Amino acid sequence: MGASETTARGEPGMTERQRKWFASVRSSLESSTGRSIDDWVAIARSCPETAHRKRLAWLKAEHGVGVNYGSFILMQAFPSEEPGWDDPDGLRAVLWKDPGSEAILRALEAAAGRLDGVVTGQRKGYTPFSRSVQFAAARPLKGGKALLGLKLEPEASDRLSAPARRESWSERLTAVVELSAPAEVDAEIERLMALAYERG
């Protein structure tokens, strides 16, 4: 049975590699930008924008701050406005609001849980499944559906296709399948998840 890992700060859903990356963003901010996190928090709070993406764009345009540093700064400056990486339950509740989509996610989590050492994470726009790297991810679709992305070629199954658009999850996930109900997370989907897991 796979288990969700937890970081030292109690952050579930990150692989060791992801935790190291997050820690490196935190530790390198001052040396890379010449300003402390307290300085950046004060700057971010002076931003005239109120939406996250617009604040990110403002930090980049006005201060040359990239997305990774910008997201970290905004999480520190506005911790209660929207859930961040350190609040996976909050992110999940916001993203998977539709009960039908959430039921499909639970079926996918059960399938992933049968694979050894899987880390089920949560991001703002999708739920990733990782081993050492991401091998699958899911996001809700309108109408109580969900889209599953897999680290496979679309030719691996008649049920798979190439993504119709660029997804926010790992670009290594090159095959997708639309799921309309939890029952569609069947033996074939479990086989495909296991195959993507082995290749991950």
Side-chain angles (χ1 to χ4, degrees):
M1 180 80 128
S4 178
E5 294 182 7
T6 303
T7 69
R9 290 178 53 208
E11 295 164 355
M14 284 197 220
T15 64
E16 183 62 29
R17 183 181 196 177
Q18 290 163 337
R19 287 194 297 265
K20 287 179 180 174
W21 174 84
F22 194 72
S24 75
V25 170
R26 179 190 312 269
S27 66
S28 65
L29 176 67
E30 187 166 353
S31 62
S32 295
T33 66
R35 291 187 167 136
S36 71
I37 185 58
D38 291 339
D39 293 338
W40 281 116
V41 165
I43 290 167
R45 288 181 178 161
S46 74
C47 176
E49 303 293 346
T50 57
H52 180 79
R53 286 180 190 240
K54 289 186 176 181
R55 284 174 173 159
L56 277 176
W58 181 85
L59 281 170
K60 183 170 180 65
E62 297 295 319
H63 300 282
V65 175
V67 172
N68 293 335
Y69 286 140
S71 293
F72 177 72
I73 291 165
L74 293 176
M75 276 181 13
Q76 304 305 307
F78 307 101
S80 62
E81 287 190 12
E82 59 184 56
W85 278 44
D86 57 349
D87 183 10
D89 293 337
L91 287 172
R92 180 185 172 114
V94 169
L95 182 63
W96 297 93
K97 288 183 276 200
D98 186 290
S101 296
E102 201 262 341
I104 296 168
L105 174 65
R106 281 189 272 115
L108 290 169
E109 288 173 327
R114 290 187 270 281
L115 302 169
D116 188 45
V118 170
V119 176
T120 301
Q122 188 59 58
R123 305 296 177 261
K124 190 171 182 177
Y126 63 94
T127 300
F129 301 96
S130 305
R131 191 177 183 185
S132 58
V133 296
Q134 196 178 121
F135 68 88
R139 68 172 174 86
L141 296 174
K142 289 182 181 175
K145 300 177 182 180
L147 188 70
L148 174 65
L150 294 164
K151 186 180 177 186
L152 294 173
E153 295 303 317
E155 296 78 27
S157 171
D158 290 342
R159 290 179 65 183
L160 298 177
S161 62
R165 63 170 214 177
R166 183 182 166 98
E167 297 289 343
S168 59
W169 55 52
S170 171
E171 61 189 25
R172 291 184 297 270
L173 308 186
T174 55
V176 295
V177 57
E178 187 174 305
L179 301 167
S180 299
E184 292 183 8
V185 183
D186 55 13
E188 174 65 358
I189 294 299
E190 290 205 30
R191 181 187 76 81
L192 293 169
M193 288 184 78
L195 185 59
Y197 164 89
E198 289 300 329
R199 293 183 181 178

